[in-house]
Amino acid sequence: MSDTIENTGAAADAAPRRGRNEGRGAAARRASRAGGGPGPSMPYIQRKIPVYEVLDEEALQLIERNADTVLEEIGIEFRDDAEALALWKEAGADVKGERVHFPKGLCRELLKTAPSVFTQHARNPMRNVQIGGNATVFAPVYGPPFVRDLEGNRRYATIEDFRNFVKLTYMAPSLHHSGGTVCEPVDIPVNKRHLDMVYSHIKYSDKPFMGSVTAPERAEDTIAMCKILFGDDFVENNTVTVNLINANSPMVFDETMLGAAKVYARHNQACVLSPFILSGAMSPVTVVGTLTQILAEVLAGASFTQLIRKGAPVLFGTFAASISMQSGAPTFGTPEPSLVSYGAAQLARRLGLPFRTGGSLCGSKVPDAQAAHESANTLNMTLLAGTNFALHSAGWLEGGLVSSYEKFMIDQDQLGMMQKMAQGVDTSVEAQAMDAIREVGPGSHYLGCAHTQANFQSAFYRSPLADNNSFEQWEVEGAKRIEERANALCRSWLESYEAPHLDPAIDEALLEFIAKRKNSMPDAFS
Amino acid sequence: MSDTIENTGAAADAAPRRGRNEGRGAAARRASRAGGGPGPSMPYIQRKIPVYEVLDEEALQLIERNADTVLEEIGIEFRDDAEALALWKEAGADVKGERVHFPKGLCRELLKTAPSVFTQHARNPMRNVQIGGNATVFAPVYGPPFVRDLEGNRRYATIEDFRNFVKLTYMAPSLHHSGGTVCEPVDIPVNKRHLDMVYSHIKYSDKPFMGSVTAPERAEDTIAMCKILFGDDFVENNTVTVNLINANSPMVFDETMLGAAKVYARHNQACVLSPFILSGAMSPVTVVGTLTQILAEVLAGASFTQLIRKGAPVLFGTFAASISMQSGAPTFGTPEPSLVSYGAAQLARRLGLPFRTGGSLCGSKVPDAQAAHESANTLNMTLLAGTNFALHSAGWLEGGLVSSYEKFMIDQDQLGMMQKMAQGVDTSVEAQAMDAIREVGPGSHYLGCAHTQANFQSAFYRSPLADNNSFEQWEVEGAKRIEERANALCRSWLESYEAPHLDPAIDEALLEFIAKRKNSMPDAFS
């Protein structure tokens, strides 16, 4: 516990190359003083704190029974995929048109071959992550077509932004995973951009990453690039990508998602089977109703991966938000999605599947107190629910339409706090501090005592962004809000970025593959 | 569950008197649309969700053993209070000078007469609150000498500000308690201001409130005013004030706090025995060391109230923050104080005492994302720890130096979310929504279905401040940050404030008492 925090601080003092902006602003100076440099990455979280559970046994059984009823009586649609329907028929399901009805217990039986814990390999083995069990892995925002840049503009994202978020994620000590579509590089044709995205993850980071799911052939390209990076056999026998397969809720899997899922499962790569739920629109307005549908969808979708390849890793995913009945807009960080996610985590554990939910979700347009409250409510839940894979953990703004540089910096700081929190309470003799209490005694203070001197470096999480100075000091330094400090810190990180070493032969092979693939395609921007 | 939320929304549509600002701003219009008016107050929270516990049995026993050692071997100082020392001697403690050493088990034995649950009465019985058990009561910020006003100035607080915060708390549906020193009215002499403060709570609100603790005679004045309000017998036989008695950590109780505690306990009024802890300064830098000292201090201080009057209500209090080892400034919302508070809640439950901690603490100077993250981390912990009395739940800014109008509004919205969260998961047939899932089926949506229409009013918490509209709509409305919307909402609340009825005879008697008391004192401003 202590070590990681201690190292972060220590390395920060030594690390920063003095960039142009760094010498100037008070915020940059503070960041440097406070250990704001990008310290060494921390390993994925191994939670030493218990999970928080909101559903009792009775409620859990009720939901499981109801989900079984949904699966059997209503069924799930597998659209435009004859292979999927044939596989379900063969497995014993009752297939009527594209609607698949599942005999009780079929999905659970199939899921027995799915691992409850697996390793996702990174090109740097130090960055391998455990998915499942007591592990929590933080990954950045996924999907936004827009960015809020460091000049304050809201504009379409570019590949340059994409690279920047990969770099920032690489540098952020508390992000364990490079994620996937950290933003949509809309300046690259839609049919080609997956190649640049996967390449950016490989080139600018050494953390594990996600593959393309927007078409089966793009999933195949991802696999091909992974094989160049890791070797053919390694990919077939290990998991090197985690891939987001959304259910088209309610109760539909479409051709695109099924196509990508089949490619990944076939190659032993992990799928995150995620109902994408705005309660009140894609599911009932109630928590239990929503959980029932989520469980049914995950049971159908996750067990499908086992029809493709027994033992292929698959996660129980849940993206939960509510919908404003006034405006129709999604809302985040409110109590109901938290209850849904807590409940889904329990259902996942009972199913023996790793669980994905949460992150730092918000609906705000700017990184203000609304954004922070919504993100913090979501993130606290994410940790305490025992989430194994937390997408959208940094940079998410405006309901996922925008990747924000400033919010990314603020979020990654909060992730560091969660990682410290997850270490729980040390009860060693040193931590008991009885000698310190004896030494200090009534009416004195602990600031200078031996125990404090020996332990303070590792005792408290040190935020590089929070300003806890006096009002007067803060005013002298320009009365800056946290997003201004985040802006300065972000600039200084990007200036000090250094790419991790990549074997030039691999790099060349990847670039060659990309060029060949791109040459075979017309430009398509939609 | 549904009722309170539903009523809040419904009443908000009907309630607002159109004030000057209300017709003008888009934020005010949105507030009005979204149900932002001050709806009827909700009763105190009765938690239907489990508590979250970070310490296992072994750790709890370890801390209890160590606290016993501290009490016996090191002891606690009761300073400048001969009566206290005599009482302790009589009770069987080993008193050396002002240092009291407690034989093992003495404090626990004494605390057996303290109630684990009690009612604090308000002048409006509908506002009575349960303190202890599964109840959570939110009270506003306590103590700041400064305010951030609605014009954006940071300045000394006045009695006008004090009245405003009492009014806002009265109007806020999710604040169950009027609190105490919602800000320091520094425009009134320090020896007289307690009279105006207690009067303001009585006059401008009908929620329960806290008494003065800054001198024994001010505690006596509080009791006297309560007797005018409630009647002599009622006060002696019931609890009508909850009073903040801070330990002078480490391991000291001073004359002022002991004096106030004695007055209140003698009159059957509740004391919140609260070690005020900045870990690293007032306690060891470690969580377990801090918890050991907190437990020792509470055991000594709380059991002291039982020496004064057996059965007098007393709370296990904990104010937990850390100290920045770089600047010496307190830090809030970080992992370590959360772990301390979670642990203290467990120790309180084992002791059978109601528990106070948390709130919406932060170190930020402005209601930005730092303020919100720190507040949200603290507040989520406050709820999940099973806190019974949460002081500082709204308005706290800048490490408690400032009461902020805007932050008050943002916080009270978050408290509403916590109250909804605490209702947990409804598993009724209606909530199971199986008919809705059947009606909608695969590939459709729930927006118009009968179940959604019947349940959406009560389904989701509705924030009066969060903006979840489209970016374009938000921009048209002035691209406002949440604190700007909070500012507008606050102005509209204050304009629409109406005082609850107070018997004119009581009002007159209170004013007469205050005038008489003030006339007997010289002006003292420090």
Side-chain angles (χ1 to χ4, degrees), chain A residues 50 52 66 73 250 281 286 293 329 336 365 370 377 420 431-432 438 443 446 461 467-469 481 485, chain B residues 50 52 66 73 250 281 286 293 329 336 365 370 380 420 431-432 438 443 446 461 467-469 481 485:
Chain A
Y52 181 68
N66 286 348
E73 187 190 305
T286 55
Q293 186 184 305
E336 302 81 14
K365 318 302 174 287
Q370 178 186 342
N377 288 344
K420 183 80 196 302
Q432 292 175 44
R438 285 191 186 95
Y446 290 79
Y461 178 79
D467 184 305
N468 293 301
N469 291 331
R481 307 172 60 90
R485 300 191 295 270
Chain B
Y52 181 69
N66 285 348
E73 185 189 306
T286 55
Q293 187 185 306
E336 301 81 14
K365 318 302 174 287
Q370 178 186 341
N380 277 275
K420 183 81 194 302
Q432 291 174 46
R438 285 190 185 94
Y446 290 80
Y461 177 78
D467 185 305
N468 294 302
N469 291 331
R481 307 171 60 90
R485 302 191 294 273

Short mmCIF file of all heavy atoms in Angstrom, two decimals, chain A residues 50 52 66 73 250 281 286 293 329 336 365 370 377 420 431-432 438 443 446 461 467-469 481 485, chain B residues 50 52 66 73 250 281 286 293 329 336 365 370 380 420 431-432 438 443 446 461 467-469 481 485:
data_model
loop_
_atom_site.label_atom_id
_atom_site.label_comp_id
_atom_site.label_asym_id
_atom_site.label_seq_id
_atom_site.Cartn_x
_atom_site.Cartn_y
_atom_site.Cartn_z
N PRO A 50 -14.15 -4.70 1.83
CA PRO A 50 -15.29 -5.53 1.41
C PRO A 50 -16.12 -4.86 0.32
O PRO A 50 -16.00 -3.66 0.08
CB PRO A 50 -16.11 -5.70 2.69
CG PRO A 50 -15.65 -4.63 3.62
CD PRO A 50 -14.29 -4.19 3.20
N TYR A 52 -19.86 -3.69 -1.16
CA TYR A 52 -21.11 -3.21 -0.57
C TYR A 52 -22.27 -3.80 -1.36
O TYR A 52 -22.28 -3.74 -2.59
CB TYR A 52 -21.17 -1.68 -0.63
CG TYR A 52 -22.41 -1.09 -0.01
CD1 TYR A 52 -22.61 -1.17 1.36
CD2 TYR A 52 -23.38 -0.48 -0.80
CE1 TYR A 52 -23.74 -0.65 1.94
CE2 TYR A 52 -24.52 0.05 -0.22
CZ TYR A 52 -24.70 -0.04 1.14
OH TYR A 52 -25.83 0.49 1.71
N ASN A 66 -37.14 -14.12 -12.17
CA ASN A 66 -37.79 -13.29 -13.19
C ASN A 66 -36.99 -13.25 -14.49
O ASN A 66 -37.56 -13.25 -15.59
CB ASN A 66 -38.04 -11.87 -12.66
CG ASN A 66 -39.19 -11.82 -11.66
OD1 ASN A 66 -39.95 -12.78 -11.52
ND2 ASN A 66 -39.33 -10.69 -10.97
N GLU A 73 -39.88 -17.14 -21.63
CA GLU A 73 -41.21 -16.76 -22.12
C GLU A 73 -41.14 -15.69 -23.21
O GLU A 73 -41.78 -15.80 -24.25
CB GLU A 73 -42.01 -16.24 -20.92
CG GLU A 73 -43.46 -15.94 -21.20
CD GLU A 73 -44.09 -15.21 -20.02
OE1 GLU A 73 -44.02 -15.74 -18.89
OE2 GLU A 73 -44.64 -14.12 -20.23
N PRO A 250 -33.98 -2.89 -25.38
CA PRO A 250 -34.24 -4.12 -24.65
C PRO A 250 -34.18 -5.38 -25.52
O PRO A 250 -34.79 -5.45 -26.58
CB PRO A 250 -35.68 -3.91 -24.14
CG PRO A 250 -36.32 -3.00 -25.14
CD PRO A 250 -35.21 -2.13 -25.66
N ALA A 281 -36.24 4.11 -20.63
CA ALA A 281 -36.26 4.05 -22.10
C ALA A 281 -35.91 2.63 -22.56
O ALA A 281 -36.72 1.96 -23.19
CB ALA A 281 -35.29 5.06 -22.70
N THR A 286 -38.00 1.00 -12.95
CA THR A 286 -37.68 0.54 -11.59
C THR A 286 -36.35 -0.21 -11.56
O THR A 286 -35.90 -0.76 -12.57
CB THR A 286 -38.78 -0.42 -11.08
OG1 THR A 286 -38.93 -1.48 -12.03
CG2 THR A 286 -40.11 0.30 -10.91
N GLN A 293 -34.04 -7.35 -16.49
CA GLN A 293 -33.75 -7.32 -17.93
C GLN A 293 -32.25 -7.41 -18.19
O GLN A 293 -31.81 -8.12 -19.10
CB GLN A 293 -34.33 -6.03 -18.53
CG GLN A 293 -34.19 -6.00 -20.05
CD GLN A 293 -34.68 -4.68 -20.62
OE1 GLN A 293 -35.81 -4.28 -20.36
NE2 GLN A 293 -33.82 -4.02 -21.36
N ALA A 329 -33.40 13.48 -21.57
CA ALA A 329 -31.94 13.38 -21.50
C ALA A 329 -31.51 12.35 -20.48
O ALA A 329 -32.19 12.16 -19.47
CB ALA A 329 -31.34 14.74 -21.13
N GLU A 336 -30.61 5.97 -8.49
CA GLU A 336 -31.17 4.75 -9.08
C GLU A 336 -30.15 3.95 -9.88
O GLU A 336 -30.06 2.73 -9.73
CB GLU A 336 -32.41 5.10 -9.90
CG GLU A 336 -33.51 5.80 -9.09
CD GLU A 336 -33.28 7.29 -8.90
OE1 GLU A 336 -32.40 7.86 -9.60
OE2 GLU A 336 -33.96 7.91 -8.05
N LYS A 365 -21.84 19.86 -18.90
CA LYS A 365 -21.15 20.28 -20.12
C LYS A 365 -19.73 20.74 -19.82
O LYS A 365 -18.92 20.90 -20.74
CB LYS A 365 -21.90 21.43 -20.80
CG LYS A 365 -23.42 21.29 -20.86
CD LYS A 365 -23.89 20.04 -21.55
CE LYS A 365 -25.41 19.89 -21.42
NZ LYS A 365 -25.87 19.51 -20.08
N GLN A 370 -21.31 20.06 -10.78
CA GLN A 370 -22.26 19.03 -11.24
C GLN A 370 -21.49 17.82 -11.76
O GLN A 370 -21.76 16.67 -11.38
CB GLN A 370 -23.19 19.56 -12.33
CG GLN A 370 -24.14 18.46 -12.85
CD GLN A 370 -25.01 18.86 -14.03
OE1 GLN A 370 -25.19 20.04 -14.31
NE2 GLN A 370 -25.56 17.87 -14.71
N ASN A 377 -20.24 10.29 -7.26
CA ASN A 377 -21.27 9.33 -6.86
C ASN A 377 -21.11 8.02 -7.63
O ASN A 377 -21.23 6.94 -7.08
CB ASN A 377 -22.67 9.90 -7.12
CG ASN A 377 -23.04 11.01 -6.14
OD1 ASN A 377 -22.40 11.17 -5.10
ND2 ASN A 377 -24.06 11.78 -6.47
N LYS A 420 -6.11 4.18 -3.17
CA LYS A 420 -5.65 4.22 -1.77
C LYS A 420 -6.74 3.67 -0.85
O LYS A 420 -6.47 2.87 0.05
CB LYS A 420 -5.28 5.65 -1.38
CG LYS A 420 -4.71 5.81 0.03
CD LYS A 420 -3.24 5.43 0.13
CE LYS A 420 -2.75 5.21 1.55
NZ LYS A 420 -2.91 6.35 2.44
N ALA A 431 1.19 0.50 12.57
CA ALA A 431 -0.01 1.28 12.29
C ALA A 431 -0.82 1.53 13.56
O ALA A 431 -1.56 2.52 13.64
CB ALA A 431 -0.87 0.57 11.25
N GLN A 432 -0.70 0.67 14.53
CA GLN A 432 -1.45 0.87 15.78
C GLN A 432 -0.97 2.13 16.52
O GLN A 432 -1.73 2.73 17.26
CB GLN A 432 -1.33 -0.36 16.68
CG GLN A 432 -2.04 -1.57 16.12
CD GLN A 432 -1.80 -2.81 16.98
OE1 GLN A 432 -1.86 -2.75 18.21
NE2 GLN A 432 -1.50 -3.92 16.33
N ARG A 438 1.63 7.21 23.31
CA ARG A 438 2.34 7.34 24.59
C ARG A 438 3.30 8.52 24.55
O ARG A 438 3.38 9.29 25.50
CB ARG A 438 3.15 6.06 24.87
CG ARG A 438 2.30 4.89 25.33
CD ARG A 438 3.17 3.74 25.85
NE ARG A 438 2.32 2.58 26.15
CZ ARG A 438 2.10 1.57 25.30
NH1 ARG A 438 2.67 1.57 24.11
NH2 ARG A 438 1.29 0.59 25.65
N GLY A 443 -2.81 16.78 25.18
CA GLY A 443 -2.57 18.21 25.04
C GLY A 443 -1.41 18.61 24.16
O GLY A 443 -1.15 19.79 23.98
N TYR A 446 1.06 15.69 17.22
CA TYR A 446 1.81 14.60 16.60
C TYR A 446 2.71 15.05 15.45
O TYR A 446 3.33 14.21 14.80
CB TYR A 446 0.84 13.53 16.07
CG TYR A 446 0.12 12.76 17.15
CD1 TYR A 446 -0.97 13.31 17.82
CD2 TYR A 446 0.54 11.48 17.53
CE1 TYR A 446 -1.64 12.60 18.82
CE2 TYR A 446 -0.12 10.76 18.51
CZ TYR A 446 -1.20 11.32 19.16
OH TYR A 446 -1.85 10.63 20.13
N TYR A 461 -3.07 10.04 0.97
CA TYR A 461 -3.07 10.28 -0.47
C TYR A 461 -2.75 11.76 -0.72
O TYR A 461 -3.32 12.63 -0.07
CB TYR A 461 -4.43 9.94 -1.09
CG TYR A 461 -4.44 10.25 -2.57
CD1 TYR A 461 -3.85 9.38 -3.47
CD2 TYR A 461 -5.00 11.43 -3.04
CE1 TYR A 461 -3.82 9.67 -4.82
CE2 TYR A 461 -4.97 11.74 -4.40
CZ TYR A 461 -4.38 10.85 -5.28
OH TYR A 461 -4.34 11.15 -6.61
N ASP A 467 -6.32 22.18 -3.98
CA ASP A 467 -5.66 23.31 -3.32
C ASP A 467 -6.20 23.40 -1.90
O ASP A 467 -7.37 23.69 -1.70
CB ASP A 467 -5.93 24.61 -4.08
CG ASP A 467 -5.17 25.79 -3.47
OD1 ASP A 467 -5.31 26.02 -2.25
OD2 ASP A 467 -4.43 26.45 -4.20
N ASN A 468 -5.30 23.12 -0.95
CA ASN A 468 -5.71 23.19 0.46
C ASN A 468 -4.96 24.30 1.20
O ASN A 468 -4.96 24.34 2.42
CB ASN A 468 -5.47 21.83 1.14
CG ASN A 468 -6.39 20.77 0.56
OD1 ASN A 468 -7.60 20.91 0.61
ND2 ASN A 468 -5.81 19.73 -0.02
N ASN A 469 -4.34 25.17 0.43
CA ASN A 469 -3.65 26.30 1.05
C ASN A 469 -4.64 27.28 1.66
O ASN A 469 -5.85 27.15 1.46
CB ASN A 469 -2.80 27.03 0.00
CG ASN A 469 -1.62 26.18 -0.44
OD1 ASN A 469 -1.12 25.36 0.33
ND2 ASN A 469 -1.20 26.36 -1.68
N ARG A 481 -9.51 28.02 -10.08
CA ARG A 481 -10.38 26.87 -9.89
C ARG A 481 -9.61 25.61 -10.26
O ARG A 481 -8.61 25.66 -10.96
CB ARG A 481 -11.62 27.01 -10.77
CG ARG A 481 -12.35 28.34 -10.59
CD ARG A 481 -13.43 28.49 -11.63
NE ARG A 481 -14.38 27.41 -11.46
CZ ARG A 481 -15.45 27.48 -10.67
NH1 ARG A 481 -15.72 28.58 -10.02
NH2 ARG A 481 -16.26 26.46 -10.56
N ARG A 485 -6.03 24.52 -12.73
CA ARG A 485 -4.85 23.77 -12.31
C ARG A 485 -4.72 22.49 -13.13
O ARG A 485 -3.61 22.08 -13.51
CB ARG A 485 -4.94 23.46 -10.81
CG ARG A 485 -5.02 24.71 -9.93
CD ARG A 485 -4.85 24.41 -8.45
NE ARG A 485 -5.89 23.60 -7.85
CZ ARG A 485 -7.01 24.07 -7.29
NH1 ARG A 485 -7.24 25.39 -7.27
NH2 ARG A 485 -7.90 23.26 -6.74
N PRO B 50 -28.09 -1.45 3.74
CA PRO B 50 -27.16 -1.88 4.80
C PRO B 50 -26.06 -0.86 5.04
O PRO B 50 -25.84 0.03 4.22
CB PRO B 50 -26.58 -3.19 4.26
CG PRO B 50 -26.87 -3.21 2.80
CD PRO B 50 -28.00 -2.29 2.54
N TYR B 52 -21.99 0.01 5.50
CA TYR B 52 -20.74 -0.50 4.93
C TYR B 52 -19.68 -0.51 6.02
O TYR B 52 -19.50 0.48 6.71
CB TYR B 52 -20.30 0.39 3.76
CG TYR B 52 -19.03 -0.08 3.10
CD1 TYR B 52 -19.02 -1.26 2.36
CD2 TYR B 52 -17.85 0.64 3.20
CE1 TYR B 52 -17.86 -1.71 1.74
CE2 TYR B 52 -16.69 0.20 2.59
CZ TYR B 52 -16.70 -0.97 1.85
OH TYR B 52 -15.55 -1.42 1.24
N ASN B 66 -6.68 -1.57 22.56
CA ASN B 66 -5.70 -0.47 22.62
C ASN B 66 -6.30 0.78 23.27
O ASN B 66 -5.62 1.49 24.00
CB ASN B 66 -5.18 -0.15 21.22
CG ASN B 66 -4.19 -1.21 20.73
OD1 ASN B 66 -3.72 -2.05 21.50
ND2 ASN B 66 -3.87 -1.17 19.44
N GLU B 73 -3.61 3.47 31.01
CA GLU B 73 -2.18 3.74 31.18
C GLU B 73 -1.84 5.22 30.98
O GLU B 73 -1.13 5.82 31.79
CB GLU B 73 -1.43 2.88 30.16
CG GLU B 73 0.06 2.93 30.26
CD GLU B 73 0.70 2.24 29.08
OE1 GLU B 73 0.37 1.05 28.81
OE2 GLU B 73 1.52 2.88 28.40
N PRO B 250 -5.13 15.95 21.30
CA PRO B 250 -5.29 14.61 21.86
C PRO B 250 -5.58 14.59 23.37
O PRO B 250 -4.88 15.24 24.13
CB PRO B 250 -3.92 13.96 21.60
CG PRO B 250 -2.96 15.10 21.55
CD PRO B 250 -3.72 16.27 21.02
N ALA B 281 -1.79 15.56 13.20
CA ALA B 281 -1.60 16.67 14.14
C ALA B 281 -2.24 16.32 15.49
O ALA B 281 -1.57 16.22 16.50
CB ALA B 281 -2.20 17.95 13.58
N THR B 286 -1.89 7.30 11.24
CA THR B 286 -2.48 6.06 10.75
C THR B 286 -3.95 5.95 11.14
O THR B 286 -4.40 6.55 12.12
CB THR B 286 -1.73 4.85 11.34
OG1 THR B 286 -1.75 4.97 12.77
CG2 THR B 286 -0.31 4.79 10.84
N GLN B 293 -7.35 6.42 19.45
CA GLN B 293 -7.44 7.64 20.25
C GLN B 293 -8.86 8.18 20.28
O GLN B 293 -9.36 8.61 21.33
CB GLN B 293 -6.48 8.69 19.69
CG GLN B 293 -6.40 9.93 20.56
CD GLN B 293 -5.55 11.00 19.93
OE1 GLN B 293 -4.40 10.76 19.56
NE2 GLN B 293 -6.12 12.18 19.75
N ALA B 329 -2.03 22.27 6.04
CA ALA B 329 -3.46 22.55 5.88
C ALA B 329 -4.26 21.26 6.01
O ALA B 329 -3.79 20.19 5.64
CB ALA B 329 -3.71 23.16 4.50
N GLU B 336 -8.28 8.46 3.69
CA GLU B 336 -7.97 8.10 5.07
C GLU B 336 -9.04 8.55 6.05
O GLU B 336 -9.47 7.76 6.91
CB GLU B 336 -6.58 8.64 5.45
CG GLU B 336 -5.45 8.11 4.56
CD GLU B 336 -5.32 8.85 3.24
OE1 GLU B 336 -5.93 9.93 3.09
OE2 GLU B 336 -4.63 8.34 2.33
N LYS B 365 -11.80 26.69 -2.09
CA LYS B 365 -12.20 28.06 -1.78
C LYS B 365 -13.48 28.45 -2.50
O LYS B 365 -14.10 29.46 -2.19
CB LYS B 365 -11.10 29.06 -2.17
CG LYS B 365 -9.67 28.64 -1.84
CD LYS B 365 -9.46 28.35 -0.37
CE LYS B 365 -8.06 27.79 -0.12
NZ LYS B 365 -7.86 26.40 -0.58
N GLN B 370 -13.30 20.54 -7.22
CA GLN B 370 -12.59 20.08 -6.02
C GLN B 370 -13.57 20.01 -4.85
O GLN B 370 -13.64 19.00 -4.14
CB GLN B 370 -11.42 21.01 -5.65
CG GLN B 370 -10.72 20.55 -4.36
CD GLN B 370 -9.63 21.49 -3.86
OE1 GLN B 370 -9.11 22.32 -4.60
NE2 GLN B 370 -9.28 21.34 -2.59
N ASN B 380 -20.97 10.39 0.54
CA ASN B 380 -21.27 8.99 0.26
C ASN B 380 -20.88 8.13 1.46
O ASN B 380 -21.61 7.22 1.87
CB ASN B 380 -20.55 8.52 -1.01
CG ASN B 380 -21.30 8.90 -2.27
OD1 ASN B 380 -22.19 8.18 -2.70
ND2 ASN B 380 -21.00 10.04 -2.86
N LYS B 420 -32.90 9.52 -1.26
CA LYS B 420 -33.51 8.55 -2.19
C LYS B 420 -32.72 7.25 -2.18
O LYS B 420 -33.30 6.15 -2.13
CB LYS B 420 -33.55 9.15 -3.60
CG LYS B 420 -34.25 8.26 -4.63
CD LYS B 420 -35.76 8.37 -4.58
CE LYS B 420 -36.49 7.26 -5.34
NZ LYS B 420 -36.15 7.17 -6.75
N ALA B 431 -42.87 -3.07 -8.79
CA ALA B 431 -41.48 -2.72 -9.08
C ALA B 431 -40.79 -3.78 -9.94
O ALA B 431 -39.84 -3.48 -10.66
CB ALA B 431 -40.70 -2.52 -7.78
N GLN B 432 -41.26 -5.01 -9.86
CA GLN B 432 -40.66 -6.08 -10.67
C GLN B 432 -40.89 -5.85 -12.16
O GLN B 432 -40.11 -6.29 -13.01
CB GLN B 432 -41.20 -7.45 -10.26
CG GLN B 432 -40.75 -7.89 -8.88
CD GLN B 432 -41.41 -9.18 -8.44
OE1 GLN B 432 -41.49 -10.14 -9.21
NE2 GLN B 432 -41.89 -9.21 -7.22
N ARG B 438 -42.97 -7.66 -20.59
CA ARG B 438 -43.78 -8.40 -21.56
C ARG B 438 -44.40 -7.46 -22.60
O ARG B 438 -44.40 -7.77 -23.79
CB ARG B 438 -44.92 -9.14 -20.84
CG ARG B 438 -44.48 -10.36 -20.08
CD ARG B 438 -45.67 -11.19 -19.59
NE ARG B 438 -45.19 -12.30 -18.77
CZ ARG B 438 -45.09 -12.27 -17.44
NH1 ARG B 438 -45.46 -11.19 -16.78
NH2 ARG B 438 -44.63 -13.31 -16.78
N GLY B 443 -36.52 -4.90 -28.69
CA GLY B 443 -36.36 -3.91 -29.76
C GLY B 443 -37.25 -2.70 -29.69
O GLY B 443 -37.17 -1.82 -30.54
N TYR B 446 -39.47 1.76 -23.53
CA TYR B 446 -40.38 1.83 -22.39
C TYR B 446 -40.98 3.21 -22.17
O TYR B 446 -41.73 3.41 -21.20
CB TYR B 446 -39.64 1.41 -21.11
CG TYR B 446 -39.29 -0.07 -21.06
CD1 TYR B 446 -38.19 -0.57 -21.75
CD2 TYR B 446 -40.07 -0.96 -20.32
CE1 TYR B 446 -37.86 -1.92 -21.70
CE2 TYR B 446 -39.75 -2.31 -20.26
CZ TYR B 446 -38.65 -2.79 -20.96
OH TYR B 446 -38.34 -4.12 -20.91
N TYR B 461 -34.86 10.32 -8.76
CA TYR B 461 -34.61 11.58 -8.08
C TYR B 461 -34.50 12.69 -9.14
O TYR B 461 -33.83 12.53 -10.15
CB TYR B 461 -33.32 11.54 -7.28
CG TYR B 461 -33.02 12.86 -6.63
CD1 TYR B 461 -33.69 13.25 -5.47
CD2 TYR B 461 -32.13 13.77 -7.20
CE1 TYR B 461 -33.45 14.49 -4.88
CE2 TYR B 461 -31.90 15.01 -6.63
CZ TYR B 461 -32.56 15.36 -5.48
OH TYR B 461 -32.35 16.59 -4.92
N ASP B 467 -28.00 20.20 -14.92
CA ASP B 467 -28.43 20.48 -16.28
C ASP B 467 -28.07 19.27 -17.14
O ASP B 467 -26.89 18.98 -17.36
CB ASP B 467 -27.72 21.74 -16.82
CG ASP B 467 -28.25 22.11 -18.21
OD1 ASP B 467 -28.21 21.24 -19.12
OD2 ASP B 467 -28.71 23.24 -18.38
N ASN B 468 -29.11 18.59 -17.61
CA ASN B 468 -28.90 17.43 -18.47
C ASN B 468 -29.43 17.66 -19.87
O ASN B 468 -29.58 16.73 -20.65
CB ASN B 468 -29.56 16.19 -17.84
CG ASN B 468 -28.87 15.81 -16.54
OD1 ASN B 468 -27.69 15.55 -16.52
ND2 ASN B 468 -29.61 15.83 -15.45
N ASN B 469 -29.70 18.91 -20.18
CA ASN B 469 -30.16 19.23 -21.53
C ASN B 469 -29.03 19.05 -22.54
O ASN B 469 -27.88 18.83 -22.17
CB ASN B 469 -30.65 20.68 -21.58
CG ASN B 469 -31.93 20.85 -20.79
OD1 ASN B 469 -32.72 19.91 -20.68
ND2 ASN B 469 -32.13 22.03 -20.23
N ARG B 481 -22.68 27.47 -15.43
CA ARG B 481 -22.17 26.45 -14.53
C ARG B 481 -23.18 26.24 -13.41
O ARG B 481 -24.03 27.07 -13.15
CB ARG B 481 -20.83 26.90 -13.94
CG ARG B 481 -19.81 27.32 -14.99
CD ARG B 481 -18.61 27.96 -14.34
NE ARG B 481 -18.01 27.01 -13.44
CZ ARG B 481 -17.05 26.15 -13.79
NH1 ARG B 481 -16.58 26.16 -15.02
NH2 ARG B 481 -16.56 25.29 -12.92
N ARG B 485 -26.56 28.49 -11.53
CA ARG B 485 -27.94 28.03 -11.34
C ARG B 485 -28.28 27.99 -9.85
O ARG B 485 -29.39 28.34 -9.44
CB ARG B 485 -28.14 26.66 -11.99
CG ARG B 485 -27.83 26.64 -13.49
CD ARG B 485 -28.28 25.36 -14.18
NE ARG B 485 -27.58 24.16 -13.79
CZ ARG B 485 -26.43 23.72 -14.32
NH1 ARG B 485 -25.84 24.40 -15.30
NH2 ARG B 485 -25.88 22.59 -13.91
#
